[in-house]
């Protein structure tokens, strides 16, 4: 049995939903279909989820949101019209949305959650109606009915372990199940959403629950590429990746597949196949537990900008017990999460996402580190990009670091930081943001032949 998930761009119009239908019926193993809310039809378009969030916020402020409600309903309406569905489904969606919007607002976070999740919920109902209209034995199943219980962290829910046993019962249903992605229910019965793009997580949880043979994740690209196609033209497609490689690449800025979504599938040893709704014949990219290493040491290169570093130096730091703990404690007090901590004998650098910092926080942190730790020097640097080269093959290959740094040197890129310590499957380079693209192109050229750089 296969669990199949379709992302927002695969469901953005009637024509796209037709493709989804053909994909589902072309393989009798495709029994559980997880759907996102309608996404973007063209680059400047707005996702239904974003429209819903704006709408909920307006309602909370008591502002007029009639235009937004109309825009949201019209997104479903145009899909339904293209699919020749009766108006009953749109009447129901409109009714559901208006009931939600006029509902209890005493807990604003809960109110936003419920409105936000209705994007997938209503889409699942619409798609189930379309499948039935085409003569399929299909039904909408709600996360509540199926027992998808999650923690009560709005916008960042985690699945509760007891869900899996309940979800296993979905196997006993006949016909095709259409299941809304992106949210579950807290033990109090409230809607709680996963982080953005969280329908991937729902699909993975269901695949684990029913012990599927495969989790197919349909999106709008033929494969996971070895590098961002906006940086290198026509990059190599990756046919097979391990979970660890995918995790490192998603962390480094690959957004094809939600990194959190890997966990339930990994735990159940279920392979994930990323495929293209617009080209379902293409083999896509398989994410598996182990793979035969047929290529070189590097399988992909990812990069992301928006990092900063806090550099702390103190003579004889290496002998001082609790130095690192004290720095981390200060960061914790400021509610900051850190990404990496490369360290030397007398110095240590903490890398963080820049968007968590403002001028005031920065000043206070510097002061605190000087006073609490009696540091010799504390400095914050901005505009850092992190580049990860990723591949299981790196463990066995000699000279990967040398090749990478030589490629960067030849491209006249100054390496601000290298981190290869803990991960066996990745190597990270910190460079200044303006040279990020050049650095990635140089690394791609080094590890993948026949490059067409932009
Ligand atoms: N619709 C939600 C979002 O835009 C979830 C998803 O598409 O996976 O984040």
């Amino acid at each position: 049995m296969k669990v199949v998930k379709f992302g927002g761009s695969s469901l953005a119009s009637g024509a796209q939903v037709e493709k989804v239908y053909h994909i589902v019926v072309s393989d009798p193993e495709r029994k559980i279909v997880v759907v996102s809310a309608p996404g973007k039809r063209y680059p400047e378009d707005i996702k239904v989820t974003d429209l819903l969030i704006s709408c909920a916020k307006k309602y909370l402020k008591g502002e007029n949101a009639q235009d937004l409600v109309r825009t949201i309903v019209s997104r479903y309406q145009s899909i339904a019209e293209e699919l020749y569905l009766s108006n009953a489904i749109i009447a129901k969606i409109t009714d559901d949305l208006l009931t939600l919007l006029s509902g209890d607002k005493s807990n604003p976070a809960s109110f936003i959650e419920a409105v936000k999740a209705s994007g997938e919920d209503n889409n699942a109902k619409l798609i189930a109606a379309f499948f039935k209209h085409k003569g399929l034995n299909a039904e909408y199943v709600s996360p509540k009915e199926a027992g998808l219980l999650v923690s009560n962290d709005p916008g960042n829910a985690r699945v509760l372990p007891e869900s899996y046993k309940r979800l296993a019962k979905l196997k006993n249903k006949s016909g095709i199940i259409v299941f809304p992605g992106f949210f579950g229910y807290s033990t109090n019965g409230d809607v709680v959403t996963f982080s953005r793009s969280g329908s991937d997580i729902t699909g993975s949880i269901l695949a684990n629950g029913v012990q599927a043979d495969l989790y197919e994740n349909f999106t709008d690209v033929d494969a996971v590429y070895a590098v961002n196609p906006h940086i290198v033209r026509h990059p190599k497609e990756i046919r097979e990746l391990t979970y660890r490689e995918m995790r490192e690449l998603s962390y480094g800025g690959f957004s094809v597949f939600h990194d959190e979504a890997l966990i339930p599938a990994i735990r159940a040893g279920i392979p994930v196949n990323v495929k293209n709704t617009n080209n379902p014949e293409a083999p896509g990219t398989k994410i598996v537990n182990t793979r035969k290493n047929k290529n070189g040491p590097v399988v992909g290169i990812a990069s992301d900008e928006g990092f900063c570093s806090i550099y702390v130096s103190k003579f004889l730091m290496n002998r001082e017990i609790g130095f690192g703990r004290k720095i981390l404690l200060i960061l914790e007090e400021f509610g900051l999460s850190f990404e990496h901590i490369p360290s030397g004998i007398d110095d240590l650098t903490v890398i963080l996402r820049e968007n968590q910092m403002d001028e005031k926080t920065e000043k206070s942190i510097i002061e605190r580190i000087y006073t609490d730790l009696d540091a010799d020097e504390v400095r914050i640097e901005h505009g850092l990009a992190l580049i990860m080269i990723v591949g299981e093959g790196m463990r066995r290959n000699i000279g990967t670091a040398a090749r990478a740094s030589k490629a960067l040197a030849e491209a006249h890129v100054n390496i601000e930081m290298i981190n290869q310590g803990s991960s066996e499957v990745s190597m990270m380079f910190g460079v200044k943001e303006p040279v990020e693209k050049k650095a990635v192109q140089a690394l791609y050229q080094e590890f993948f032949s026949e490059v067409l750089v932009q």
Side-chain angles (χ1 to χ4, degrees):
M1 180 209 259
K2 294 177 185 172
V3 171
V4 204
K5 181 252 163 181
F6 292 93
S9 60
S10 305
L11 302 159
S13 66
Q16 289 298 89
V17 176
E18 278 275 3
K19 291 182 192 166
V20 166
Y21 165 76
H22 288 293
I23 291 170
V24 172
V25 293
S26 69
D27 182 346
E29 297 288 300
R30 293 177 174 142
K31 295 271 294 191
I32 299 183
V33 179
V34 176
V35 298
S36 286
K40 294 185 181 195
R41 293 158 291 184
Y42 41 87
E44 313 75 44
D45 201 11
I46 306 175
K47 286 174 154 199
V48 164
T49 307
D50 291 309
L51 293 170
L52 286 164
I53 297 170
S54 310
C55 190
K57 287 185 175 160
K58 279 205 165 197
Y59 263 75
L60 280 176
K61 286 194 217 145
E63 289 172 10
N64 186 330
Q66 288 315 309
D67 281 357
L68 272 171
V69 173
R70 252 194 302 273
T71 311
I72 295 163
V73 171
S74 75
R75 288 293 311 268
Y76 292 103
Q77 190 154 17
S78 67
I79 297 173
E81 278 169 9
E82 271 185 79
L83 299 173
Y84 303 105
L85 288 177
S86 81
N87 225 356
I89 183 76
I90 297 306
K92 191 163 178 343
I93 289 175
T94 312
D95 211 48
D96 276 8
L97 184 61
L98 292 175
T99 311
L100 263 178
L101 288 168
S102 59
D104 181 18
K105 297 175 190 61
S106 55
N107 182 339
S110 285
F111 174 74
I112 294 181
E113 288 290 90
V115 175
K116 197 164 124 185
S118 74
E120 342 299 284
D121 204 45
N122 281 325
N123 214 21
K125 287 176 187 161
L126 188 149
I127 286 156
F130 175 59
F131 283 5
K132 277 193 219 159
H133 170 80
K134 295 287 262 187
L136 267 187
N137 175 13
E139 71 172 309
Y140 154 85
V141 174
S142 88
K144 194 169 212 162
E145 177 195 341
L148 175 46
L149 290 177
V150 296
S151 65
N152 201 357
D153 299 310
N156 199 21
R158 299 282 142 104
V159 61
L160 299 183
E162 57 264 41
S163 299
Y164 291 111
K165 245 185 37 227
R166 297 162 192 241
L167 293 170
K169 300 206 182 93
L170 291 176
K171 259 193 300 200
N172 308 331
K173 283 195 181 278
S174 65
I176 288 163
I177 294 168
V178 184
F179 200 100
F182 193 36
F183 71 98
Y185 282 83
S186 69
T187 44
N188 301 334
D190 292 331
V191 167
V192 196
T193 63
F194 296 116
S195 49
R196 290 301 302 266
S197 304
S199 299
D200 282 352
I201 305 179
T202 308
S204 182
I205 293 168
L206 293 192
N208 179 317
V210 301
Q211 296 289 305
D213 300 303
L214 183 67
Y215 170 29
E216 288 180 313
N217 194 286
F218 279 85
T219 171
D220 51 11
V221 286
D222 270 354
V224 177
Y225 295 105
V227 71
N228 182 344
H230 296 298
I231 299 183
V232 176
R233 223 183 310 148
H234 308 307
K236 204 174 152 250
E237 291 181 2
I238 306 176
R239 280 282 88 79
E240 201 172 60
L241 272 170
T242 67
Y243 296 121
R244 295 212 301 172
E245 288 170 331
M246 187 68 214
R247 161 85 182 112
E248 304 261 354
L249 287 171
S250 338
Y251 169 80
F254 271 43
S255 58
V256 176
F257 189 67
H258 197 304
D259 50 357
E260 246 183 86
L262 284 171
I263 302 161
I266 298 176
R267 294 217 167 113
I270 297 164
V272 181
N273 198 354
V274 175
K275 284 177 74 85
N276 190 354
T277 301
N278 305 316
N279 185 14
E281 302 310 321
T285 299
K286 265 241 172 111
I287 310 167
V288 293
N289 217 337
T290 52
R291 68 177 174 90
K292 286 206 185 79
N293 185 42
K294 295 191 210 105
N295 48 345
V298 178
V299 73
I301 302 169
S303 68
D304 204 4
E305 50 190 30
F307 294 91
C308 66
S309 64
I310 307 177
Y311 170 82
V312 184
S313 161
K314 185 178 180 188
F315 192 53
L316 297 182
M317 181 189 94
N318 63 325
R319 295 203 205 152
E320 199 174 315
I321 292 173
F323 194 89
R325 181 185 57 78
K326 284 181 203 151
I327 292 190
L328 296 186
L329 203 68
I330 295 173
L331 296 184
E332 195 178 332
E333 279 174 30
F334 281 89
L336 300 172
S337 98
F338 72 91
E339 306 292 315
H340 310 277
I341 319 184
S343 65
I345 308 169
D346 290 332
D347 8 44
L348 178 154
T349 304
V350 187
I351 313 282
L352 305 99
R353 292 233 175 230
E354 211 159 33
N355 58 7
Q356 311 176 84
M357 303 274 261
D358 55 32
E359 237 176 273
K360 201 168 139 241
T361 319
E362 263 181 39
K363 255 184 91 194
S364 323
I365 288 176
I366 295 178
E367 264 169 41
R368 280 287 302 278
I369 300 178
Y370 270 124
T371 44
D372 290 16
L373 290 141
D374 198 20
D376 298 328
E377 190 185 346
V378 187
R379 176 161 37 89
I380 300 192
E381 267 180 46
H382 289 277
L384 210 57
L386 297 185
I387 303 173
M388 321 260 293
I389 59 172
V390 177
E392 299 267 0
M394 260 172 0
R395 252 179 298 171
R396 290 176 299 272
N397 274 274
I398 294 169
T400 312
R403 282 176 68 187
S405 35
K406 184 165 166 274
L408 292 174
E410 280 169 0
H412 304 288
V413 170
N414 184 31
I415 304 172
E416 306 286 323
M417 181 195 68
I418 302 184
N419 194 1
Q420 207 249 317
S422 358
S423 170
E424 285 185 314
V425 303
S426 78
M427 206 175 286
M428 198 185 73
F429 298 90
V431 301
K432 290 266 188 242
E433 278 173 359
V435 294
E436 173 193 353
K437 218 170 147 183
K438 187 161 82 165
V440 172
Q441 288 169 343
L443 290 168
Y444 188 81
Q445 196 134 20
E446 173 63 37
F447 292 104
F448 300 86
S449 51
E450 291 174 50
V451 195
L452 283 164
V453 286
Q454 274 172 344

